[in-house]
């Protein structure tokens, strides 16, 4: 069973700050990593995905992947109260369309 | 393009009954996956269907089953419902022409099932 670990939080940051969300995974061979955002009572929505070591930026969001250390992180710059949600890290199993999700980190952005 | 749709959105059943949930994927998407989400266990993979065939399966008992039709719509069935089956059931679709392709999944709004 592949493990995906996240700190459940809540992580509280003031408006305008950088929020840093972390995720570790157990399968060293994993190649594809995804971040989803889930508002309370809603379904997960894709924020971004990353396949290669290093950083990938999309607007205020930056995903960072370090395969040697088996962690992936998500940075949210200029955090807004509307970013308050649970952030789910997901790892896709190689050669299968099967995703393993972490339990999610709850982010609170305080005005 | 319309997103993933799921019906019904809410359902109340009693123990021992069975339930069928429906999912229509994004147009052109041929892979449909089902997940169970509970506060205690998080998002857990149930199974994936592609071209009417179950391609992947999670660690759930045989009471949980599914199928996919030729138009890629999928149904999930849970028989002999237990209290612990109360959860949000999410369907996700992707293009996924071949296993291992980089395509990601897009989730539907979910069906919230309450078992009394």
């Amino acid at each position: 069973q592949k493990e995906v670990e996240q700190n459940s939080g809540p992580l509280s940051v003031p408006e305008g700050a950088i929020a840093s969300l972390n995720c570790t995974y157990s399968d060293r061979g994993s190649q594809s990593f995804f971040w989803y955002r889930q508002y309370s009572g809603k379904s997960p929505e894709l924020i971004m995905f990353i396949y290669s070591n290093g950083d990938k930026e999309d607007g205020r969001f930056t995903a960072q992947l370090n395969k040697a250390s088996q962690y992936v992180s998500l940075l949210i710059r200029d955090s807004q109260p509307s970013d308050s949600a649970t952030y789910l890290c997901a790892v896709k199993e190689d050669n299968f369309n099967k995703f393993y999700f972490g339990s999610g980190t709850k982010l609170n952005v305080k005005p | 393009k319309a997103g993933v749709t799921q019906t019904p959105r809410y359902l109340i059943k009693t123990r021992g009954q069975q339930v069928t949930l429906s999912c229509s994927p994004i147009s052109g998407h041929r892979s449909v996956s089902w997940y169970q989400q509970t506060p205690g266990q998080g998002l857990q993979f149930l199974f994936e269907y592609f071209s009417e065939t179950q391609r992947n399966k999670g660690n759930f008992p045989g009471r949980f089953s599914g199928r996919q039709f030729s138009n890629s719509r999928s149904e999930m069935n849970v028989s002999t419902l237990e209290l612990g089956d109360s959860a949000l059931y999410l369907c996700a679709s992707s293009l996924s022409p071949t296993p291992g392709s980089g395509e990601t999944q897009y989730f539907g709004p979910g069906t919230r099932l309450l078992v009394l």
Side-chain angles (χ1 to χ4, degrees):
Chain A
Q1 179 73 5
K2 301 182 192 309
E3 301 283 336
V4 180
E5 300 285 342
Q6 293 182 257
N7 188 319
S8 62
L11 172 66
S12 293
V13 300
E15 183 175 356
I18 296 175
S20 177
L21 306 163
N22 299 313
C23 169
T24 59
Y25 58 94
S26 63
D27 183 6
R28 183 171 289 278
S30 297
Q31 298 292 326
S32 307
F33 307 88
F34 303 80
W35 282 99
Y36 285 84
R37 175 175 62 197
Q38 187 173 27
Y39 292 110
S40 181
K42 302 292 186 182
S43 61
E45 56 179 329
L46 179 69
I47 297 176
M48 60 192 308
F49 54 86
I50 185 167
Y51 304 141
S52 304
N53 271 331
D55 295 359
K56 179 181 179 183
E57 188 174 316
D58 184 0
R60 296 187 296 113
F61 299 95
T62 299
Q64 299 175 316
L65 175 61
N66 184 322
K67 291 184 180 180
S69 299
Q70 294 176 241
Y71 84 80
V72 57
S73 62
L74 179 70
L75 301 178
I76 307 175
R77 290 182 300 281
D78 188 25
S79 295
Q80 301 296 310
S82 59
D83 295 326
S84 297
T86 295
Y87 289 79
L88 301 168
C89 171
V91 178
K92 182 171 176 289
E93 183 167 343
D94 286 350
N95 299 320
F96 294 93
N97 199 33
K98 187 173 180 179
F99 288 67
Y100 295 90
F101 283 82
S103 57
T105 298
K106 186 174 175 60
L107 173 67
N108 290 330
V109 180
K110 300 178 179 179
Chain B
K1 192 183 267 191
V4 179
T5 59
Q6 292 187 245
T7 57
R9 294 293 311 278
Y10 303 93
L11 208 49
I12 299 176
K13 292 286 188 179
T14 56
R15 279 182 299 174
Q17 288 186 307
Q18 76 167 23
V19 66
T20 299
L21 312 181
S22 181
C23 170
S24 292
I26 292 170
S27 177
H29 284 195
R30 295 168 61 190
S31 167
V32 174
S33 296
W34 288 90
Y35 293 85
Q36 181 195 67
Q37 187 174 35
T38 59
Q41 298 295 321
L43 255 174
Q44 292 187 288
F45 175 80
L46 281 155
F47 29 66
E48 184 225 2
Y49 285 86
F50 180 81
S51 291
E52 302 178 63
T53 301
Q54 187 180 89
R55 194 164 62 174
N56 293 292
K57 190 177 189 305
N59 297 321
F60 277 80
R63 300 186 296 107
F64 292 83
S65 62
R67 59 177 176 169
Q68 186 180 35
F69 303 95
S70 59
N71 61 358
S72 295
R73 189 177 70 86
S74 177
E75 287 182 347
M76 190 192 95
N77 185 273
V78 187
S79 62
T80 319
L81 283 166
E82 301 176 359
L83 295 179
D85 296 332
S86 295
L88 178 66
Y89 290 88
L90 291 160
C91 162
S93 79
S94 63
L95 280 170
S96 191
T98 57
S101 63
E103 183 62 30
T104 190
Q105 295 184 335
Y106 299 89
F107 284 88
T111 294
R112 191 165 295 279
L113 172 65
L114 177 61
V115 182
L116 301 175

